Amino acid sequence: MSERKMEAAAVATAPIGGGMRREPSYASMVEQDDFDLSRLLDKPKLNIERQRSFDDRSMSEFSIGGNLKVGMDGYDPVYSPGIRSGFDTPLSSVRNSFDPHPIVAEAWEALRRSVVYFKGQPVGTIAAYDHASEEVLNYDQVFVRDFVPSALAFLMNGEYDIVKFFLLKTLLLQGWEKKIDRFKLGEGVMPASFKVLHDPNRDVDTIAADFGESAIGRVAPVDSGFWWIILLRAYTKSTGDTSLADTAECQKGIRLILSLCLSEGFDTFPTLLCADGCCMIDRRMGVYGYPIEIQALFFMALKSALSMLKHDAQGKELIERIVTRLQALSYHMRSYFWLDFQQLNDIYRFKTEEYSHTAVNKFNVIPDSIPDWVFDFMPCKGGYFIGNVSPARMDFRWFALGNCVAILSSLATPEQSVAIMDLIEERWEELIGDMPLKICYPAIENHEWRIVTGCDPKNTRWSYHNGGSWPVLIWLLTAASIKVGRPQIARRAVDLAESRLLKDGFPEYYDGKLGRYVGKQARKFQTWSIAGYLVAKMLLEDPSHLGMISLEEDRAMKPLLKRCSSWT
């Protein structure tokens, strides 16, 4: 590597803080009283022993009605055999031991440009740093879901403060009263995003949070709370410091989020009922009901929370509810959302109007409703979790985020995880193409597009949420492929991304069947496109980082089938 590139890499990966120039904070319309983030940080770090974590223990140890033994238990990471522990995660050797791709330094520099500060403390990264765009919209805000890959990149590089302050900032925002058109939201709802304004005359920072009241479509985010719990666990796993998760404020934050999701009502399914636009696919795309993305994140958040909740009086009752829900949710998802060649053939031969507990077609799906493309798309070897299952309806579309999170959370059995990777390899052109990774497949078109999307011009076929290719998803693909023991899939995908990302200015998404064209409304220097690439690179360089984001299957959650029909 040239001397100039080595200097650039060293500067780009320098930790935040110290003498670095501080980026300006970003605009806000609402002033907020001073927050003292340090007030939650008074507890000293704990030197914890490396013990068996929840991830490595059977669910049977958490016997309902008996003595619950759940706790932090050392956060010892456990995942695929042959991958060493991620405890005491080292600084990325991007700046140490190997010759990085030329765009690594550029990516780090761009990521640091996106950092937002509140009262001198880094609290997140803006969505995009695109000066060429005429419309800023909300791309100058810190989004909870968008910040996750940025946070993982900083954690893997040994920079913990920005993640800690982000977790605390969003936790404080959770406590705000939240109203949309005079209707009050649940107490535990996390913001979709927040925005910071610095008033130089008064030398005061102010903040405004968006809980959906300003969002396109006015939909509150369901996934923000789940990502917050998952990131809190990642921070604890990476640092080995349980003191943040142990604070009364964080414990309450976890309980509030999960209390919203675990409340009992009229629903007969363990899955979580959600509206269109409540997740990464934040516009109407026909995911109303029980979208795979939310169910996988819900499952992962439940397992993450179970390893962090204290077994005190308040935590014990919630732990019991989590264990019960996890068992029901895993059975439901593995049984009814899973599709492979044999299952597709079974659905094709379903009888309808079945009544009683012996019914095979439990959701009364009409076989004629199976779209023609599924029969050609489904290989003999491979399978995936379909997009949605509800009465008389199965959404057979492939959704990338939900399937990757299913692998990382161990919602997918080991056999199903391998089958998902088999499908990606068998359908490489359709799902990867020239730029990883299709957010969903296939695109919806013509009259169906008009009905499902409401004629949304941004979601035309093979664009944006409707079959567009999103570089950010490469970190999830990389993590999933490493966990399954197929890193060659990730390397191939990263090579594709590296051939274009810097040249194209790290766009938000790509258009076209193969992802050949920069998205028609894609912002340049989209922060999670940058961070997603960096996380993928660091995971490939040091697979031990996987421990902060991967959960192992619990032995008590036995799959419905011992062998997936596509598994050989």
Side-chain angles (χ1 to χ4, degrees), residues 1-12 94 99-106 109 502:
M1 183 168 63
S2 68
E3 184 177 340
R4 186 185 69 81
K5 287 295 182 185
M6 290 178 67
E7 291 177 357
V11 171
V94 163
D99 189 14
H101 193 279
I103 75 172
V104 169
E106 303 279 0
E109 186 176 337
L502 181 59

Short mmCIF file of all heavy atoms in Angstrom, two decimals, residues 1-12 94 99-106 109 502:
data_model
loop_
_atom_site.label_atom_id
_atom_site.label_comp_id
_atom_site.label_asym_id
_atom_site.label_seq_id
_atom_site.Cartn_x
_atom_site.Cartn_y
_atom_site.Cartn_z
N MET A 1 0.85 -1.18 0.00
CA MET A 1 0.00 0.00 0.00
C MET A 1 0.90 1.24 0.00
O MET A 1 1.91 1.30 0.67
CB MET A 1 -0.90 0.01 1.24
CG MET A 1 -1.87 1.17 1.27
SD MET A 1 -3.14 0.96 2.56
CE MET A 1 -2.11 0.96 4.02
N SER A 2 0.52 2.24 -0.77
CA SER A 2 1.30 3.46 -0.88
C SER A 2 1.34 4.19 0.45
O SER A 2 0.48 4.02 1.31
CB SER A 2 0.72 4.37 -1.96
OG SER A 2 -0.53 4.85 -1.54
N GLU A 3 2.37 5.08 0.60
CA GLU A 3 2.50 5.85 1.84
C GLU A 3 1.28 6.73 2.05
O GLU A 3 0.79 6.88 3.17
CB GLU A 3 3.77 6.69 1.78
CG GLU A 3 4.06 7.47 3.06
CD GLU A 3 5.35 8.23 2.98
OE1 GLU A 3 6.19 7.86 2.14
OE2 GLU A 3 5.51 9.17 3.77
N ARG A 4 0.76 7.32 0.93
CA ARG A 4 -0.41 8.18 1.06
C ARG A 4 -1.61 7.42 1.57
O ARG A 4 -2.36 7.87 2.44
CB ARG A 4 -0.74 8.82 -0.28
CG ARG A 4 -1.86 9.85 -0.21
CD ARG A 4 -2.23 10.36 -1.58
NE ARG A 4 -2.88 9.31 -2.37
CZ ARG A 4 -4.18 9.01 -2.24
NH1 ARG A 4 -4.92 9.64 -1.36
NH2 ARG A 4 -4.71 8.07 -2.98
N LYS A 5 -1.82 6.22 1.05
CA LYS A 5 -2.96 5.40 1.48
C LYS A 5 -2.81 4.97 2.93
O LYS A 5 -3.78 4.89 3.67
CB LYS A 5 -3.11 4.17 0.57
CG LYS A 5 -3.64 4.50 -0.80
CD LYS A 5 -5.06 5.04 -0.71
CE LYS A 5 -5.64 5.33 -2.07
NZ LYS A 5 -6.97 5.96 -1.96
N MET A 6 -1.56 4.65 3.34
CA MET A 6 -1.36 4.26 4.72
C MET A 6 -1.68 5.41 5.66
O MET A 6 -2.30 5.23 6.70
CB MET A 6 0.09 3.80 4.93
CG MET A 6 0.41 2.47 4.24
SD MET A 6 2.11 1.97 4.46
CE MET A 6 2.13 1.65 6.21
N GLU A 7 -1.28 6.62 5.29
CA GLU A 7 -1.61 7.78 6.11
C GLU A 7 -3.10 8.00 6.16
O GLU A 7 -3.68 8.31 7.20
CB GLU A 7 -0.91 9.02 5.56
CG GLU A 7 0.61 9.00 5.73
CD GLU A 7 1.26 10.22 5.10
OE1 GLU A 7 0.54 11.02 4.49
OE2 GLU A 7 2.49 10.35 5.23
N ALA A 8 -3.76 7.86 5.00
CA ALA A 8 -5.21 8.06 4.95
C ALA A 8 -5.93 7.05 5.82
O ALA A 8 -6.89 7.38 6.53
CB ALA A 8 -5.71 7.96 3.50
N ALA A 9 -5.47 5.80 5.79
CA ALA A 9 -6.11 4.77 6.59
C ALA A 9 -5.94 5.06 8.08
O ALA A 9 -6.86 4.88 8.87
CB ALA A 9 -5.53 3.39 6.25
N ALA A 10 -4.75 5.53 8.46
CA ALA A 10 -4.52 5.83 9.87
C ALA A 10 -5.39 6.97 10.35
O ALA A 10 -5.95 6.93 11.44
CB ALA A 10 -3.04 6.18 10.09
N VAL A 11 -5.54 8.00 9.52
CA VAL A 11 -6.40 9.12 9.89
C VAL A 11 -7.85 8.70 9.94
O VAL A 11 -8.60 9.03 10.85
CB VAL A 11 -6.22 10.30 8.89
CG1 VAL A 11 -7.26 11.37 9.13
CG2 VAL A 11 -4.81 10.87 9.02
N ALA A 12 -8.27 7.91 8.93
CA ALA A 12 -9.68 7.53 8.84
C ALA A 12 -10.13 6.68 9.99
O ALA A 12 -11.28 6.75 10.42
CB ALA A 12 -9.93 6.79 7.52
N VAL A 94 -7.58 -3.11 10.25
CA VAL A 94 -7.62 -2.23 9.08
C VAL A 94 -6.44 -1.26 9.15
O VAL A 94 -5.86 -0.89 8.16
CB VAL A 94 -8.95 -1.45 9.04
CG1 VAL A 94 -8.87 -0.26 8.10
CG2 VAL A 94 -10.09 -2.36 8.62
N ASP A 99 -3.20 -5.11 4.24
CA ASP A 99 -3.26 -4.06 3.22
C ASP A 99 -4.71 -3.93 2.76
O ASP A 99 -5.19 -4.77 2.00
CB ASP A 99 -2.36 -4.45 2.05
CG ASP A 99 -2.19 -3.32 1.06
OD1 ASP A 99 -2.54 -2.18 1.41
OD2 ASP A 99 -1.70 -3.59 -0.06
N PRO A 100 -5.44 -2.95 3.25
CA PRO A 100 -6.87 -2.89 2.94
C PRO A 100 -7.13 -2.45 1.51
O PRO A 100 -6.27 -1.89 0.84
CB PRO A 100 -7.39 -1.84 3.94
CG PRO A 100 -6.21 -0.93 4.15
CD PRO A 100 -5.00 -1.83 4.08
N HIS A 101 -8.34 -2.71 1.07
CA HIS A 101 -8.77 -2.21 -0.23
C HIS A 101 -8.71 -0.69 -0.19
O HIS A 101 -8.98 -0.07 0.85
CB HIS A 101 -10.20 -2.69 -0.51
CG HIS A 101 -10.61 -2.51 -1.93
ND1 HIS A 101 -11.05 -1.29 -2.40
CD2 HIS A 101 -10.65 -3.37 -2.98
CE1 HIS A 101 -11.36 -1.41 -3.68
NE2 HIS A 101 -11.12 -2.66 -4.05
N PRO A 102 -8.36 -0.06 -1.30
CA PRO A 102 -8.22 1.41 -1.30
C PRO A 102 -9.45 2.16 -0.81
O PRO A 102 -9.32 3.28 -0.32
CB PRO A 102 -7.95 1.73 -2.78
CG PRO A 102 -7.29 0.51 -3.31
CD PRO A 102 -7.93 -0.64 -2.59
N ILE A 103 -10.65 1.55 -0.90
CA ILE A 103 -11.83 2.33 -0.50
C ILE A 103 -12.09 2.26 1.01
O ILE A 103 -12.94 2.98 1.50
CB ILE A 103 -13.10 1.89 -1.27
CG1 ILE A 103 -13.64 0.56 -0.76
CG2 ILE A 103 -12.85 1.83 -2.75
CD1 ILE A 103 -14.99 0.23 -1.37
N VAL A 104 -11.33 1.43 1.75
CA VAL A 104 -11.56 1.33 3.19
C VAL A 104 -11.30 2.66 3.88
O VAL A 104 -12.11 3.13 4.69
CB VAL A 104 -10.69 0.21 3.79
CG1 VAL A 104 -10.73 0.28 5.32
CG2 VAL A 104 -11.17 -1.16 3.32
N ALA A 105 -10.16 3.29 3.56
CA ALA A 105 -9.84 4.57 4.17
C ALA A 105 -10.87 5.63 3.80
O ALA A 105 -11.28 6.44 4.64
CB ALA A 105 -8.44 5.02 3.74
N GLU A 106 -11.30 5.62 2.55
CA GLU A 106 -12.31 6.58 2.11
C GLU A 106 -13.62 6.36 2.85
O GLU A 106 -14.32 7.30 3.23
CB GLU A 106 -12.54 6.43 0.59
CG GLU A 106 -11.31 6.61 -0.27
CD GLU A 106 -10.98 8.07 -0.52
OE1 GLU A 106 -11.73 8.94 -0.02
OE2 GLU A 106 -9.98 8.33 -1.20
N GLU A 109 -13.34 7.69 6.41
CA GLU A 109 -13.38 9.16 6.41
C GLU A 109 -14.81 9.65 6.21
O GLU A 109 -15.27 10.58 6.87
CB GLU A 109 -12.47 9.69 5.30
CG GLU A 109 -12.32 11.21 5.30
CD GLU A 109 -11.34 11.70 4.26
OE1 GLU A 109 -10.46 10.90 3.84
OE2 GLU A 109 -11.44 12.87 3.86
N LEU A 502 -17.38 3.02 -4.19
CA LEU A 502 -16.70 4.31 -4.11
C LEU A 502 -16.91 5.11 -5.38
O LEU A 502 -17.19 6.32 -5.34
CB LEU A 502 -15.21 4.11 -3.84
CG LEU A 502 -14.39 5.40 -3.71
CD1 LEU A 502 -14.92 6.28 -2.58
CD2 LEU A 502 -12.92 5.10 -3.51
#
